[in-house]
Amino acid sequence: MSDALSLVIFGRHVRVQCQDAATRALFVAKYGHMQGRQGPVALQYAVGRQEETGGFFVGRAGQAPSMASDPGELLFLFEKDMTVELEKLRPDLYFIHAAVLAFGHEAVMLVGESGSGKSTTTWALLHHGCRYFSDELGPVDLQTGEVYPYPHALCLKDVPPGPYPLPTNTLYTAHALHIPTAALPSEVGEGPALLSAIFFVQYRPGAAAPAVQGLSKAEAAARLFANALNPLAHVGGGLDGAIEVSTRVASLRLFSGDLTATCALVKATLKSLLSNEEARRCLEEPCSHP
Amino acid sequence: MNEPADHPKRRTDVNIRMVDGEVVVLDRQAGLIHQLNQTASYIWDRCDGQSTVAELAEQLAVAFDVDVNTAVHDVATIIVQLHRLGLIQSPNNMPGSP
């Protein structure tokens, strides 16, 4: 059996030819929210199970396929290749390795190294009135200051602590937990939103309380540049793009700790930063965790 | 001839931007980005290979209204840090050196 999955990501049509029903179900769980058709196919992939080895393959049209030993590695290889290709297809966007949430029409970015807790913090914040944009990719339009959603299934490395239990339809792979967008406690972003604030996240386990600290525009620019994925596609080797973004938004360092306290601190901080009335209304919404 | 250690000179083969009074330096050769605070930015800007460390300290003392001894200490410390980061030219990191 062969069935194609059509996705629209950053206005580009990505077609994934799934060779079997189980692989298709895996991709629907991970990327289902981005299903759609728009314009000619810009990227085409074939994915599926490799009968001889019991493993999986992923191949972009015209390229030799890569092999994966399990579904988690399959998703990893696909996503890695696809995001690089999307960066090439949209060189006008400044891609930042970041999680993104939106309160009303204002977007907030969480930037941090792998393991800094940005996905876990994102998962917790989704219980507090915001919309999900991404846990991995924040492409910014430098002309408008807007950031685009990339709502694949939210990916966690571990079961989150505190009062934010995983939904029953969480997808478990060898190295990660994937929460499909349909199982999120929040709405999902459908279009770009104005980037208003950036938190540079650093997890401080055991700290008495989470804390935020203002950052200068220059430090924010340097930190943003360090997390830029396609800087060379932009003027000045990408430095000007990072400065452009940092001078438009409020930038803070977030020392995260206990999840509930971290969410409360982020919301309190945003209440003083976000000016849009709808954003402020979202921040007033009660927490939706059990 | 000016000795690099006495007359520090900032590297010219890096991308530099001033953001709100602080310098951001992109060193593509080393794959590093640096953000200098206002004091370091002031000193960096004056590391032209002509001014001595003592002259830099005098300028800093006037600009930031600090005593000369403090300024000498600050300049010396920052020049050492800029050297360690490879942002000041030395015989080993002059453009064109192997």
Side-chain angles (χ1 to χ4, degrees):
Chain A
M1 181 184 156
S2 174
D3 199 358
L5 185 65
S6 279
L7 309 172
V8 176
I9 310 176
F10 314 137
R12 298 293 182 268
H13 186 170
V14 180
R15 193 168 185 271
V16 186
Q17 190 74 38
C18 304
Q19 300 294 323
D20 57 89
T23 302
R24 190 177 196 282
L26 178 72
F27 275 71
V28 168
K30 184 71 185 179
Y31 302 102
H33 195 87
M34 295 187 275
Q35 281 187 88
R37 286 170 196 276
Q38 183 180 309
V41 174
L43 277 176
Q44 181 143 341
Y45 287 88
V47 296
R49 187 171 277 280
Q50 197 185 36
E51 296 299 339
E52 309 85 67
T53 63
F56 297 85
F57 69 89
V58 52
R60 176 160 41 89
Q63 302 292 315
S66 300
M67 301 304 157
S69 57
D70 57 63
E73 192 182 7
L74 173 67
L75 291 175
F76 172 79
L77 291 175
F78 171 75
E79 178 128 341
K80 190 172 140 193
D81 190 89
M82 180 182 66
T83 51
V84 168
E85 293 305 310
L86 286 167
E87 287 162 22
K88 292 180 194 167
L89 289 168
R90 292 298 309 266
D92 55 315
L93 298 177
Y94 195 85
F95 283 79
I96 299 167
H97 179 220
V100 186
L101 304 158
F103 292 87
H105 296 299
E106 295 193 66
V108 175
M109 202 175 253
L110 304 179
V111 178
E113 292 173 9
S114 184
S116 64
K118 60 182 186 300
S119 293
T120 305
T121 307
T122 299
W123 166 242
L125 280 168
L126 292 175
H127 297 74
H128 292 270
C130 57
R131 278 178 296 137
Y132 175 64
F133 265 46
S134 177
D135 69 342
E136 187 72 16
L137 215 51
V140 180
D141 183 327
L142 296 176
Q143 300 298 318
T144 63
E146 292 178 321
V147 60
Y148 281 74
Y150 179 69
H152 68 176
L154 189 148
C155 182
L156 299 175
K157 292 183 182 71
D158 293 303
V159 175
Y164 304 101
L166 291 170
T168 51
N169 50 350
T170 299
L171 177 68
Y172 293 79
T173 58
H175 303 291
L177 316 165
H178 306 265
I179 305 171
T181 53
L184 295 176
S186 66
E187 292 179 6
V188 176
E190 301 295 341
L194 188 67
L195 182 61
S196 295
I198 301 176
F199 289 94
F200 293 89
V201 186
Q202 193 178 327
Y203 180 48
R204 268 199 320 200
V212 290
Q213 193 178 72
L215 278 184
S216 72
K217 303 287 186 199
E219 183 169 355
R223 289 178 177 276
L224 265 186
F225 180 84
N227 286 279
L229 298 170
N230 64 338
L232 296 179
H234 298 272
V235 176
L239 187 53
D240 295 332
I243 292 170
E244 177 71 35
V245 175
S246 74
T247 51
R248 283 183 178 187
V249 307
S251 300
L252 304 113
R253 183 178 287 154
L254 169 64
F255 297 103
S256 65
D258 170 78
L259 266 185
T260 307
T262 300
C263 289
L265 178 63
V266 168
K267 286 181 73 172
T269 305
L270 290 175
K271 274 180 194 171
S272 66
L273 291 176
L274 304 186
S275 53
N276 181 277
E277 206 168 292
E278 193 190 346
R280 296 179 67 83
R281 202 164 45 243
C282 293
L283 286 162
E284 297 295 341
E285 280 190 18
C287 164
S288 63
H289 67 66
Chain B
M1 180 184 160
N2 290 346
E3 291 298 320
D6 298 332
H7 299 77
K9 184 174 186 185
R10 62 180 180 273
R11 273 176 58 194
T12 53
D13 60 338
V14 289
N15 290 2
I16 304 154
R17 300 289 186 276
M18 181 71 84
V19 185
D20 271 3
E22 295 184 341
V23 169
V24 179
V25 185
L26 173 58
D27 181 355
R28 289 176 68 175
Q29 195 177 313
L32 294 171
I33 188 161
H34 309 277
Q35 168 250 337
L36 310 184
N37 66 19
Q38 288 199 346
T39 308
S41 297
Y42 182 89
I43 294 167
W44 160 271
D45 193 44
R46 284 157 182 78
C47 287
D48 54 6
Q50 301 299 316
S51 303
T52 63
V53 170
E55 287 167 343
L56 291 173
E58 281 173 26
Q59 293 173 37
L60 186 75
V62 172
F64 285 75
D65 194 21
V66 293
D67 64 82
V68 174
N69 286 341
T70 303
V72 167
H73 175 265
D74 287 353
V75 170
T77 304
I78 288 167
I79 294 293
V80 167
Q81 288 177 334
L82 292 174
H83 260 296
R84 281 189 188 142
L85 295 170
L87 297 177
I88 295 284
Q89 287 185 15
S90 68
N92 295 329
N93 67 7
M94 293 282 205
S97 65

